[in-house]
Amino acid sequence: MVRRRLAAAALVLGAFSPVSACGSVAPTDGGISVEAAPTGGAVADAAPPSDGSTPGAWRPANGAASALGDLGYGAFRDVYGSVYVDAGHNRVVLYATDTGRATSMIAAVREAHPDTAGVNVEIVACAYTARAMSEATGKIMSAQQAEPFSYPVYSSGNGPEGNGVLVTTSAAGAASPEFARELQRVAGSVPVRVSAGEPVVALNALMPAPGASTSG
């Protein structure tokens, strides 16, 4: 992967070659690259923070992703799919259903958070918004509570690339085509992917009851 050196300034659009469907979680090409135009010295390549070190450029990348997520569940919920942080290269991948609107979304973040100007944000087109995926997940969980499926639903959540809903279940459930069809009928038009997992343990189940002794 080529490391990009960036400096703070106004937005400049890189080479446009949007993909028609979601790519890998951390794409290296094929997306729309929205970078900061050089105005002086280059920003050093970022690396993940080590224990006891100052995060450096790791902070702006995560800050940019957080700000994009806030907008994605707010004013840009009609296009926002997901974000991925490549902290080692001071880069954020923004998955969106409309690349033009996604560019405006990035501009809004740059304006509101000038400290993110040195972060490279790459736009990758995806099929489903976070809102649509969350609604499908809500349908699955509500159906599970009302009348359990043929296999347990351990968890259900948005795909990291804006490509549908991810459901975890038992090994037998993951191997059952009928169970997958049950889930899909409930989820509607948003595709559901099923994989084997482990039951989710609620945090309060790990905490001792009030007044209970934890000594041996």
Side-chain angles (χ1 to χ4, degrees):
M1 181 183 295
V2 177
R3 294 191 174 184
R4 303 178 181 183
R5 298 178 182 273
L6 308 171
L11 290 174
V12 173
L13 297 183
F16 274 45
S17 55
V19 293
S20 58
C22 295
S24 63
V25 173
T28 57
D29 53 34
I32 296 177
S33 179
V34 180
E35 305 183 0
T39 58
V43 176
D45 293 332
S50 58
D51 292 341
S53 67
T54 301
W58 179 81
R59 286 178 175 171
N62 283 271
S66 178
L68 287 167
D70 289 342
L71 283 178
Y73 283 96
F76 290 86
R77 60 185 178 275
D78 57 318
V79 299
Y80 172 75
S82 182
V83 288
Y84 167 83
V85 179
D86 181 4
H89 295 88
N90 200 29
R91 181 179 72 121
V92 173
V93 179
L94 170 61
Y95 294 94
T97 58
D98 183 319
T99 56
R101 283 269 288 155
T103 301
S104 298
M105 186 177 177
I106 295 167
V109 168
R110 300 285 201 223
E111 182 177 358
H113 304 276
D115 59 315
T116 66
V119 179
N120 176 32
V121 181
E122 182 179 352
I123 303 170
V124 175
C126 69
Y128 303 95
T129 63
R131 179 173 60 174
M133 292 185 290
S134 294
E135 289 175 352
T137 280
K139 292 176 182 178
I140 290 172
M141 300 311 292
S142 294
Q144 169 77 359
Q145 293 175 356
E147 183 177 350
F149 293 107
S150 56
Y151 293 93
V153 174
Y154 295 154
S155 67
S156 180
N158 297 1
E161 302 169 31
N163 55 356
V165 172
L166 303 179
V167 169
T168 59
T169 182
S170 63
S176 169
E178 179 53 37
F179 177 53
R181 286 191 287 269
E182 287 180 53
L183 294 170
Q184 192 61 67
R185 284 193 292 268
V186 171
S189 60
V190 178
V192 178
R193 287 185 290 163
V194 184
S195 64
E198 298 293 334
V200 177
V201 179
L203 181 60
N204 57 8
L206 301 176
M207 302 296 290
S213 173
T214 58
S215 60

